[in-house]
Every structure is written in structure tokens, then in C-alpha cells.
Amino acid sequence: MIGGRLRLGESLARHSSWRVGGAAERFYLPATIEDLVGFLRNFSYGPITWLGLGSNVLVRDGGIPGTVVCLAHGLDQMATGEHGELVVEAGVSAVKLAHFAARAGLAGAEFLAGIPGTLGGCLAMNAGAHGGETWPLVEWVELLHPNGELERRPAAAFQVGYRSVRGQGDACFVRAGLRLPSGEPEALRAQLRAWQNQRAATQPLAWPSCGSVFRNPPGDYAARLIEAAGLKGRRIGDAEVSTQHANFILNRGQARARDIEALVVEVQEAVRKRFDVVLRPEMRVLGEDFDD
Ligand SMILES: Cc1cc2nc3c(=O)[nH]c(=O)nc-3n(C[C@H](O)[C@H](O)[C@H](O)COP(=O)(O)OP(=O)(O)OC[C@H]3O[C@@H](n4cnc5c(N)ncnc54)[C@H](O)[C@@H]3O)c2cc1C
């Protein structure tokens, strides 16, 4: 018997923060790591795509063939490990982790409170904000390979850079041991709230998006370049370059993935022509184009 839930033809627009994209051929939601191990060993079929809360992916309109394994909504345990580290499963949301750590007087995770993803997604992206990044908090991770084999590795086994991590191959992160220094809970919570308020004041959070679309080029800001190229408010279909924060592309209603992708290319071209800078997307494009 399959532990967890398996659905056929699940719309991925429901599972991506941009609210666009086609369906997953098979969509699997494990409740626990054991569910996922059992599924991979006995019921796996076709290529596997790992998904967290879908807050940094553009799912194309033709959807994703094979199996999408969504680790959000399960794998949600947090505990103290045998060597005093904080052991967190990959489906725990970054927001929940940040609040939990602050309440427990553990410092360094406050920046995660503004990131609408899972710990697994933060590990895969080396998510960061306000000068903090995910991987400096990590002591070890557990990987689960597509054949169902679990493996623990130290953080030093990975090559970590700005919004990038290499070394996991086609495995997913299922658990991490975090080492956080002590802090004063009230001060940590005040910092966390201040950063949340700052985001609410400066980011266009009322419309679906993936946050910042492009990485900042060395020594500059993607938002500054996009704004200076006159692209704020530029629209293809219902996809729009935010007038508030130029590195956000918003879904203003019925945008399709192809509208967003076309706008991404247009922004890249305009910035390259005007400033000779190539903007590299931060979000990941998944799946296939719709064939009409
Ligand atoms: C409003 C808004 C604000 C944002 N602000 C920030 C910010 O300040 N800083 C920042 O860094 N990001 C930010 N983001 C982007 C996003 O929240 C982060 O990149 C987050 O870490 C993605 O987590 P996720 O669970 O949503 O991953 P997903 O979007 O589901 O997946 C992202 C990638 O990681 C892979 N992946 C997901 N889970 C796993 C896993 N367990 N094992 C292996 N691979 C996996 C997926 O295959 C995909 O390639 C923002 C997004 C939004 C919508």
C-alpha cells in the first residue's frame, strides 16, 4: 500500500506561487520520510521532479511528465538531535522554522521568516535575505536518492554559492541538522518582525509571483537595471513587471506560463542591449510547453 497521497493529472497552478502551469502526470504527497522511501522503492515510475511550496518555479503550461513529488504538507518534524543540533525535515516551512528558532532562543534563522518556501527548497536554492543564507546554518543533510536510498552528508560535501548548491545530483533533501548559536528570544522575534514588516512595505505581495525573478549581477541590482531600462509596468497578457519592485513579475489575473516566460526574455534582451549585462533567472523553469 502507498503511504501518503497519489493523484493523477493534478493541476500544478495550485502548487506554485505564480498560480500558473499545467498538470503533473502523477503527483505524490508523502506524509513522512518512510512513506517517500517506500514509494520510491516500490511505486516509482518515469522521471521525478521534487517540489516544495513552488515559490521559486515557473511550471510550463504543458505540465510535468512522470512523477512530481511534493515535500510540502508532510515531512514536517523538528527536534533536537543527539549532538544538540536542530534537526528539521524538508517540508517544514521557512516561516515556521524561523519562528520556532526565535522562540527557542536560537539565532541566525530570522531571515527565513520572509521566505515563502520549505526548508528543502531553501537548501536547493541556498535561499537568503538581509545578509543571511541557508547553508551557513547547516551542519549536515540527509539526501534521498531516486532509488530510495538514504544518505547523510556533511555540509562541507556541497559546493555552495549565491542562490546555488551543487553536489546533490538527482537526490532530494529530506532532513537537515542546523547549528544555531544562542540568542535572546525577544530580540530575535523583534528582528524577525521588523524584516517581515519591511518586506510587506517594499514588495508587491498582493499578486502571485515567484519573488525576485533574476539574480543580482555582481556589484549591481537586477531591479535597478530593469527599472532604468524603462520596463516597470511592461505587460505580456496578464504577466506584468511590477511597478513597485522591478525584479518581480506578477500574475495580474489569467497569465499563462508562456506569457511570463516571454516577458522574462524581453526583460533580459532590453537590459542586455541597454547595459550589456546578462540577467540570469533565479527561479527554475520546469516541465513542457503547451502544444497547440
Ligand atoms: C514573495 C516571495 C518572496 C521571496 N523572497 C525570497 C528571498 O528573500 N530570498 C530567497 O532566496 N528567495 C525568495 N523567494 C523564492 C523562494 O521562496 C525560495 O527560493 C524558496 O527557498 C523556495 O522554496 P520552495 O519550497 O518553494 O521550493 P520550490 O519552488 O518548490 O522549488 C525550488 C527548486 O528547488 C527544488 N527543490 C524543492 N524542494 C527540494 C528538496 N526537498 N530537495 C531537492 N530539491 C528541492 C525544486 O525542484 C526546484 O528546482 C521568494 C518567493 C516569493 C514568492
Side-chain angles (χ1 to χ4, degrees), residues 125 212-215 264 268 279-285:
M125 303 299 306
S212 292
V213 173
F214 298 101
R215 295 153 198 255
V264 167
Q268 280 176 311
L279 290 179
R280 290 172 54 221
E282 182 178 315
M283 49 71 183
R284 308 269 178 88
V285 180

Side-chain angles (χ1 to χ4, degrees), residues 58-82:
L58 177 61
V59 180
R60 288 188 165 130
D61 301 309
I64 302 183
T67 306
V68 172
V69 174
C70 178
L71 284 83
H73 319 295
L75 281 77
D76 56 359
Q77 301 298 306
M78 283 191 273
T80 305
E82 21 174 326

